[in-house]
Amino acid sequence: DILSDFKKTVDSHFVNSLELHCSFFICVLHYNISEVLIMKKIYTCMPLKEKHKKLLESSSSNCEFIHLGQIKPSLEQVKDANVIIGNIPVDILKNIPNLEFVQLNSAGTNGYSDNPDFPKNVLLTNATGAYGVAISECILAGILTLMKHIPSYIKNQSNHDWKDEGSVESIYNSNILVLGLGDIGKEFSKRAYAMGAHITGIKRNIKDKPDYIDKLCTMDSLYDELEKADIIVSSLPGSKSTYHLLDEEALAHVKKQPIFVNVGRGSLIDSKVLEKALKENIFSGAYIDVTDPEPLSKKNELWNLNNLIITPHVTGGYHLEETLNRIVQISATNIKNYCEGKGLINRVNLEV
């Protein structure tokens, strides 16, 4: 309309020149406005080092990053976020009006994917692939500690007691049943297989058996495989299908007094059932990094069992720097993909 008015008052040569210049500036203006409109505001809630911040910030030029550190932010602090990297409460997330995408720093999605208040229009991804190294090494440490009677020797040392605690067991030639073959289950299986163990894995999909797994089964074979196991390791997530999976009926099929390890979710086995299994030598020993509920009550009888090692859900987290490095790499990849309209890795299906 403006150009039309000009045409009425100036000669056509001037108008043609003006149209050319206006078209140029309109294109420039449109480009700049587009850049502003697609600028994403991303908040991180993790203990990042400078190298981590630089990696994230290099993932996209169309993002503004605000690094809050390892805190539980208030709604006021993140109210204008488009993307959140970190595990902040759903009661905050649901009140962020322009939130589009949440990248969890955990592999587990409990409290998010199963929370009806988590906004269904928001994309959710987890950090699967970040924890395998750290947690698999802790599993091995727990198993070997129990096999070699290390708790007894520590007690003897504190009592200045030079005492032989007798015969020990070995991972070599043992039958290990691995419940769940995600990143953690796979990383542990690789290490145990390299030490001479025979690995049976249980997972939903038994296609593409890795070389380090001797036998691959579905959950339908659980009871049969429990009978053969010298060691049982679970990294299963918490879900309706895994809740109290190892109940008294399941433990009736345990025959070889195996060592039991749980680094998945405490809801896999009721604490009373676990207590009974350890007292009655159904399990010769156990190492658990997870309980239900958490934290474990100071009065819970599990604390008093000599054949049980408990750690307070610390095998993951940020205790190993490599874990944080991997979380940041996963996050950076997803930010880049999201800004470019590509598929996200570790996307969580909220419809399940």
Side-chain angles (χ1 to χ4, degrees), residues 11 96 168 314:
D11 61 50
I96 302 175
V168 299
V314 294

Side-chain angles (χ1 to χ4, degrees), residues 43-92:
Y43 285 83
T44 68
C45 303
M46 297 189 297
L48 302 177
K49 295 184 177 181
E50 284 304 312
K51 65 177 182 178
H52 299 134
K53 295 176 183 178
K54 289 179 180 178
L55 178 59
L56 287 170
E57 291 164 7
S58 68
S59 63
S60 176
S61 60
N62 297 323
C63 298
E64 177 188 357
F65 286 84
I66 300 94
H67 303 293
L68 298 178
Q70 191 176 5
I71 66 167
K72 177 184 175 182
S74 65
L75 176 59
E76 184 65 25
Q77 288 176 289
V78 296
K79 64 182 180 181
D80 58 347
N82 301 116
V83 179
I84 295 286
I85 301 176
N87 292 31
I88 70 172
V90 171
D91 60 357
I92 293 177

Side-chain angles (χ1 to χ4, degrees), residues 164-202:
D164 188 330
E165 292 293 340
S167 62
V168 299
E169 297 176 353
S170 177
I171 287 178
Y172 176 77
N173 211 33
S174 64
N175 295 314
I176 302 182
L177 177 61
V178 180
L179 305 180
L181 283 175
D183 177 50
I184 296 166
K186 286 179 179 178
E187 290 295 325
F188 166 72
S189 297
K190 289 177 187 176
R191 288 158 175 76
Y193 182 80
M195 297 174 73
H198 307 292
I199 310 295
T200 297
I202 288 188

Side-chain angles (χ1 to χ4, degrees), residues 75-344:
L75 176 59
E76 184 65 25
Q77 288 176 289
V78 296
K79 64 182 180 181
D80 58 347
N82 301 116
V83 179
I84 295 286
I85 301 176
N87 292 31
I88 70 172
V90 171
D91 60 357
I92 293 177
L93 296 177
K94 70 179 183 180
N95 291 307
I96 302 175
N98 297 315
L99 186 64
E100 301 171 5
F101 169 33
V102 174
Q103 168 68 58
L104 298 177
N105 57 257
S106 62
T109 62
N110 302 75
Y112 295 89
S113 59
D114 58 351
N115 191 325
D117 289 333
F118 186 86
K120 300 305 182 206
N121 62 322
V122 173
L123 297 173
L124 180 67
T125 58
N126 65 15
T128 293
Y131 293 92
V133 171
I135 298 181
S136 64
E137 290 182 358
C138 287
I139 296 170
L140 284 171
I143 293 171
L144 290 170
T145 296
L146 290 164
M147 281 185 159
K148 310 305 180 183
H149 308 312
I150 301 302
S152 295
Y153 286 114
I154 292 173
K155 182 179 179 181
N156 293 347
Q157 181 178 343
S158 65
N159 294 330
H160 301 187
D161 188 3
W162 188 277
K163 179 183 177 183
D164 188 330
E165 292 293 340
S167 62
V168 299
E169 297 176 353
S170 177
I171 287 178
Y172 176 77
N173 211 33
S174 64
N175 295 314
I176 302 182
L177 177 61
V178 180
L179 305 180
L181 283 175
D183 177 50
I184 296 166
K186 286 179 179 178
E187 290 295 325
F188 166 72
S189 297
K190 289 177 187 176
R191 288 158 175 76
Y193 182 80
M195 297 174 73
H198 307 292
I199 310 295
T200 297
I202 288 188
K203 58 179 298 196
R204 286 177 295 182
N205 186 341
I206 60 172
K207 295 179 181 179
D208 303 321
K209 183 181 75 67
D211 292 340
Y212 50 83
I213 303 293
D214 295 288
K215 184 179 180 182
L216 198 55
C217 308
T218 64
M219 200 61 75
D220 293 337
S221 302
L222 175 63
Y223 288 179
D224 290 338
E225 299 306 325
L226 285 174
E227 294 182 358
K228 309 168 190 174
D230 299 305
I231 302 168
I232 302 167
V233 174
S234 175
S235 58
L236 289 170
S239 68
K240 291 180 180 178
S241 63
T242 62
Y243 181 78
H244 290 181
L245 179 68
L246 295 187
D247 55 14
E248 290 189 347
E249 180 182 348
L251 295 191
H253 295 267
V254 174
K255 304 298 183 183
K256 300 177 69 176
Q257 292 79 50
I259 288 173
F260 171 65
V261 178
N262 189 11
V263 294
R265 287 294 179 267
S267 57
L268 179 79
I269 184 169
D270 180 83
S271 62
K272 288 293 184 183
V273 174
L274 177 59
E275 177 188 338
K276 180 181 178 183
L278 287 165
K279 285 182 174 179
E280 296 181 0
N281 205 35
I282 296 172
F283 295 146
S284 61
Y287 165 49
I288 58 173
D289 186 53
V290 289
T291 61
D292 185 24
E294 292 182 5
L296 191 64
S297 166
K298 291 181 181 294
K299 296 181 180 180
N300 195 295
E301 184 61 25
L302 290 176
W303 291 111
N304 300 319
L305 300 180
N306 293 328
N307 56 345
L308 174 63
I309 299 171
I310 301 173
T311 52
H313 208 149
V314 294
T315 56
Y318 306 123
H319 296 86
L320 182 68
E321 184 174 346
E322 177 62 20
T323 302
L324 182 55
N325 293 342
R326 293 183 179 206
I327 294 171
V328 172
Q329 183 60 65
I330 291 168
S331 301
T333 299
N334 270 342
I335 293 298
K336 183 177 186 296
N337 289 354
Y338 184 66
C339 290
E340 295 177 357
K342 298 178 180 178
L344 304 179

